[in-house]
Amino acid sequence: MLGCGTVGAEVVRLLRWQADELAARIGAPVELAGVAVRRPHKHPELGELLTTDAQGLVTRDDVDVVVEVIGGIEPARTLLLEALKAGKSVVSANKALLAEDGAALAEAADASGADLYYEAAVAGAIPLLRPLRESLVGDRISRVAGIVNGTTNFILSAMTASGSSYADALEEATRLGYAEADPSADVDGYDAASKAAILASLAFHTRVTSADVYCEGIRHVTAADIAAARGMGCVIKLLAICERVETGGVEAVSARVYPAMIPAAHPLASVDDAFNAVFVEAEAAGQLMFYGQGAGGAPTASAVLGDLVAVARNQVVGGRGSRDSAYASLPVQPIGAVPTRYHVSLDVADRAGVLAAIAGEFARHGVSIAAVRQTGDGSTVDGSARLVVVTHAAPEEALATTVERLAGLDSVRGVESVLRVEDLGRKGAGA
């Protein structure tokens, strides 16, 4: 095993606690051959199993499976490629590596006949990747969308429940251990983007990397945005959305992560705290929802052990697990071409002709307005008003150009926020 942090320690505990049952399920005992760590003194309970020579451990003749829970790109990539090239199967929880260089790992596994499993890389304990790779492999998946980051979901849930600011909700998440000392990977959307890349790759049989995923975090979501969503019968969630799209008769993949308003009646709206939930839409199976603990030592270790049992069974009976498939090789749709509804909040001068000027900018760029709401009657000290415009579905590029032009109008004092509105219905429901 490579690494022995929160997840790794739980893997060791479960291996020992369930040793007899795991042996019965696999058909052979599972023995921990060694644990590579950087600071052995922090793990005295592992005794002679500890080593700082990770490369030596993964190439040992008596090692059949390498479990990687160290995270990051290097040295994990080099170590796992060494293991796979030596014919050793790999179980990994490393979402960042799989999203950046999963193709190289899959190719190395195919070349040597080894297995590569990574259920723990997305959504913790929730069985999600194996259903995509195995149970639904005979179906045509059209969309995978949901909440895949527990930290941001806790923060947004706290803001929704109490009306607190982003800063206060983040402070609470940090105090409770839901947010790291440096929460950037979570709150800026990078963690969710890595997971979206993995989900899109499996769902659409196409190599999608984290660089292909449009990514926007939650730092700029305000209490006013939360209140505006509530006024529309919605809540705000950080969503990972991967879908099969068609533009000009050419099929493509869209993969994106951003905060969006969703109807309060949608099942995802009631997913609170640090839980994850993902909707999968397929042509024959229809809508499927996967829900549960999306992070944490024990939940993630559960997914690691599930993969370990599958890999070990394959070795005992001489078989191989299902392989990753990238035969479709679909292009990734640029975010500028993605059609979405928008909620645009503007600080404007409260005088005649303002609404007409603003509506004219939307029309000029082909963005159709669905609803307009104004607060303010000219009685404020500075004569300002708040104007909210909700659009029909429009391409991101057209909306961005419209907002840029609006910000330049004399009558617009500021663009307070721009939030997407996702219906999350059947494919094309946002149109």
Side-chain angles (χ1 to χ4, degrees):
M1 187 167 75
L2 306 178
C4 196
T6 302
V7 175
E10 278 296 314
V11 171
V12 172
R13 184 184 71 81
L14 291 172
L15 277 173
R16 290 173 167 173
W17 179 49
Q18 299 181 150
D20 292 341
E21 289 187 72
L22 291 174
R25 295 168 192 168
I26 293 167
V30 177
E31 297 180 1
L32 188 57
V35 181
V37 296
R38 287 185 297 173
R39 294 180 287 272
H41 67 276
K42 291 194 171 186
H43 311 279
E45 73 283 358
L46 295 178
E48 295 181 355
L49 289 172
L50 289 170
T51 180
T52 57
D53 183 8
Q55 185 171 6
L57 180 60
V58 301
T59 55
R60 270 171 46 179
D61 291 338
D62 63 333
V63 169
D64 301 307
V65 182
V66 173
V67 174
E68 183 266 316
V69 288
I70 55 177
I73 306 301
E74 289 292 357
R77 172 167 46 198
T78 297
L79 292 169
L80 295 189
L81 286 173
E82 287 256 1
L84 291 166
K85 288 174 182 176
K88 303 177 191 302
S89 293
V90 163
V91 172
S92 175
N94 195 332
K95 53 188 171 286
L97 174 58
L98 288 157
E100 179 174 302
D101 213 9
L105 296 177
E107 288 165 7
D110 286 341
S112 67
D115 280 330
L116 173 63
Y117 278 54
Y118 44 91
E119 184 67 61
V122 179
I126 305 172
L128 177 59
L129 302 190
R130 204 170 303 172
L132 290 177
R133 190 158 65 168
E134 298 177 14
S135 305
L136 295 171
V137 72
D139 208 338
R140 180 180 169 86
I141 295 173
S142 56
R143 180 189 286 143
V144 181
I147 299 163
V148 295
N149 182 272
T151 300
T152 52
N153 199 52
F154 178 89
I155 292 170
L156 292 174
S157 296
M159 292 176 70
T160 300
S162 65
S164 60
S165 68
Y166 164 79
D168 289 341
L170 173 59
E171 183 179 350
E172 177 71 359
T174 304
R175 185 182 69 81
L176 294 174
Y178 291 118
E180 302 287 345
D182 178 4
S184 300
D186 294 317
V187 300
D188 291 330
Y190 303 131
D191 173 86
S194 293
K195 295 170 181 177
I198 295 170
L199 291 170
S201 297
L202 288 177
F204 308 124
H205 306 282
T206 294
R207 295 292 183 206
V208 178
T209 69
S210 51
D212 295 320
V213 181
Y214 175 80
C215 180
E216 188 179 312
I218 67 167
R219 288 185 190 269
H220 301 300
V221 176
T222 66
D225 293 329
I226 298 290
R230 184 181 295 112
M232 289 180 58
C234 294
V235 298
I236 297 176
K237 297 292 185 182
L238 182 72
L239 299 178
I241 303 174
C242 312
E243 59 186 348
R244 193 187 297 266
V245 296
E246 189 173 303
T247 305
V250 177
E251 199 170 59
V253 170
S254 170
R256 55 207 195 262
V257 168
Y258 46 57
M261 296 181 177
I262 61 174
H266 193 280
L268 286 178
S270 61
V271 177
D272 290 329
D273 297 327
F275 281 80
N276 285 188
V278 176
F279 264 81
V280 177
E281 296 179 15
E283 297 298 330
Q287 287 191 336
L288 306 170
M289 180 174 173
F290 298 82
Y291 168 83
Q293 300 254 13
T300 306
S302 170
V304 170
L305 263 293
D307 280 351
L308 179 57
V309 168
V311 167
R313 277 177 176 168
N314 292 340
Q315 297 209 354
V316 168
V317 301
R320 294 178 66 186
S322 58
R323 325 308 295 163
D324 285 0
S325 166
Y327 74 89
S329 193
L330 300 175
V332 177
Q333 184 184 53
I335 187 64
V338 175
T340 315
R341 295 173 61 210
Y342 297 88
H343 177 281
V344 182
S345 178
L346 305 167
D347 180 10
V348 302
D350 193 2
R351 61 173 185 259
V354 170
L355 180 56
I358 289 172
E361 285 299 336
F362 278 94
R364 191 169 291 111
H365 300 288
V367 181
S368 174
I369 294 176
V372 178
R373 185 174 72 255
Q374 178 177 331
T375 59
D377 57 5
S379 60
T380 57
V381 174
D382 61 354
S384 65
R386 185 167 182 265
L387 190 68
V388 173
V389 178
V390 180
T391 75
H392 291 293
E396 172 90 12
E397 187 174 26
L399 192 283
T401 302
T402 303
V403 169
E404 183 180 351
R405 293 297 300 271
L406 288 173
L409 293 178
D410 291 340
S411 56
V412 176
R413 304 184 178 195
V415 179
E416 294 181 339
S417 70
V418 179
L419 281 168
R420 296 163 184 85
V421 182
E422 293 283 351
D423 294 320
L424 295 178
R426 294 296 298 175
K427 184 179 177 184

